[in-house]
Amino acid sequence: MYFELALLAYLVDMAVGELPGKHPVVFIGDFIKAFERRFYRNRILPGACLVFGAVALALGISLALVYLCGFLPSGLSLPVLAILASTGLAMNMLHASVAGILTAEQPKQAKQAISLLVSRDTEAMTETEIHKAALETWAENISDGVIAPLFYLVLFGLPGIAVYKAINTLDSMVAYKTERYFYFGKTAAILDDIANFIPARITALLIVLLAEDRQGAWQSVFRDGNKLESPNAGYPIAAMAGALGIGLGGDAYYHGKLKHKPTLGPALKPVNRATLAQGLNMKTRLDQIILALLAIGAWLY
């Protein structure tokens, strides 16, 4: 178990946020784009080879970095590894990105901000739809960008978080049910579903613990968590909806086509600017819970 490493990495992310320079995820993305340009075929085998290559690359580089850190002077290895691992955590960047919608002065600015965070069409979005999309992104990415990488960092150290980020990047780039990626991205989509199965449910639990109406949040998770196509995304989103007493999900346009999706949560209150602010305000208490759990783990192990 690597609780101490995870604790230090989370503290680095809280204090510094995004480090300067080219982000490791960008390197993974460059590899994916290069592979796709050279070897793309909308078949399962080329997509599986892409997944194997990206994961092997992330694993190999991270293992090499761990090995090299072993030559550092005593007491430096852990802090350096923590700085490296912090690049796989996105709490500060995620919160700041979603909070940018709150600070947008014009609807056009809000649409531009949300367009950077979601894959759905944003041009015709209403103010309510923008705030709903922002809360869904906030809830889902607490899992994908914070809890899941921490989970694998605790279990496997730097190689664990590196491999997870490779899987998650693959999912975000090629795991779409479109004509181009239906078969090519299938392996990436399945692997991402497996990797996020436990973290998504841990995230839902943490959000429920932060809710004023915990019973209502629990009911929302158990009633609605499995309603989306994704086996994982619905759980943190349903927990957020239940915690705020609102409805999330629902129909949305993707690539010009209307996609029918169920509503998650009790839909007792409207979704607006104040609701989004309330959801984002969970960050401080969530930080405290995560730090406390990592500190207890470091003490015990």
Side-chain angles (χ1 to χ4, degrees):
M1 294 286 191
Y2 296 86
F3 281 104
E4 190 175 5
L5 174 60
L7 176 61
L8 288 176
Y10 199 76
L11 287 170
V12 171
D13 182 64
M14 287 181 64
V16 180
E18 199 75 9
L19 294 174
K22 194 169 184 178
H23 197 282
V25 169
V26 177
F27 285 107
I28 299 172
D30 289 343
F31 172 83
I32 294 169
K33 291 176 183 177
F35 185 100
E36 185 177 352
R37 283 195 300 268
R38 180 68 178 84
F39 301 108
Y40 170 79
R41 300 289 187 281
N42 194 19
R43 299 170 188 165
I44 290 177
L45 183 57
C49 290
L50 169 61
V51 170
F52 177 81
V55 168
L57 180 65
L59 180 61
I61 292 175
S62 60
L63 286 172
L65 289 171
V66 172
Y67 176 76
L68 291 173
C69 283
F71 293 97
L72 292 173
S74 178
L76 276 181
S77 177
L78 183 61
V80 171
L81 285 172
I83 292 171
L84 293 172
S86 74
T87 63
L89 301 174
M91 176 61 95
N92 271 8
M93 182 182 69
L94 170 64
H95 186 269
S97 298
V98 179
I101 295 163
L102 283 177
T103 59
E105 297 180 358
Q106 302 292 333
K108 184 177 180 180
Q109 293 175 322
K111 289 178 182 179
Q112 184 177 10
I114 195 64
S115 70
L116 300 175
L117 300 175
V118 299
S119 58
R120 68 190 71 178
D121 299 343
T122 59
E123 191 59 35
M125 273 187 171
T126 65
E127 186 176 357
T128 295
E129 289 170 339
I130 291 172
H131 292 139
K132 284 176 64 176
L135 281 167
E136 291 167 30
T137 298
W138 170 233
E140 185 177 358
N141 283 283
I142 289 173
S143 178
D144 290 359
V146 182
I147 302 304
L150 275 176
F151 179 77
Y152 290 104
L153 178 59
V154 166
L155 289 180
F156 304 111
L158 185 65
I161 194 172
V163 167
Y164 172 78
K165 295 305 292 186
I167 293 170
N168 192 241
T169 305
L170 283 161
D171 180 73
S172 66
M173 293 183 67
V174 302
Y176 295 103
K177 292 183 178 180
T178 60
E179 185 177 349
R180 178 174 177 83
Y181 293 117
F182 189 83
Y183 294 106
F184 185 72
K186 191 171 288 290
T187 302
I190 292 172
L191 189 57
D192 186 75
D193 287 344
I194 294 170
N196 283 297
F197 187 87
I198 295 175
R201 287 148 181 82
I202 294 174
T203 304
L205 172 61
L206 292 174
I207 293 173
V208 168
L209 291 176
L210 296 174
E212 294 182 7
D213 180 10
R214 291 178 185 172
Q215 183 177 357
W218 270 124
Q219 289 175 348
S220 181
V221 171
F222 282 107
R223 183 185 62 245
D224 300 331
N226 64 350
K227 286 185 176 180
L228 297 183
E229 283 184 358
S230 166
N232 302 315
Y235 286 89
I237 293 174
M240 182 65 70
L244 300 175
I246 60 175
L248 294 175
D251 296 349
Y253 281 90
Y254 293 84
H255 311 292
K257 296 181 179 179
L258 179 63
K259 184 173 183 179
H260 297 288
K261 298 194 298 182
T263 297
L264 311 182
L268 300 174
K269 300 187 295 186
V271 181
N272 52 33
R273 190 183 185 90
T275 314
L276 177 57
Q278 186 181 355
L280 288 171
N281 285 341
M282 290 183 177
K283 179 184 181 295
T284 300
R285 288 179 294 155
L286 185 58
D287 283 338
Q288 293 169 349
I289 291 176
I290 290 171
L291 289 173
L293 290 173
L294 293 176
I296 291 170
W299 179 64
L300 291 175
Y301 289 91

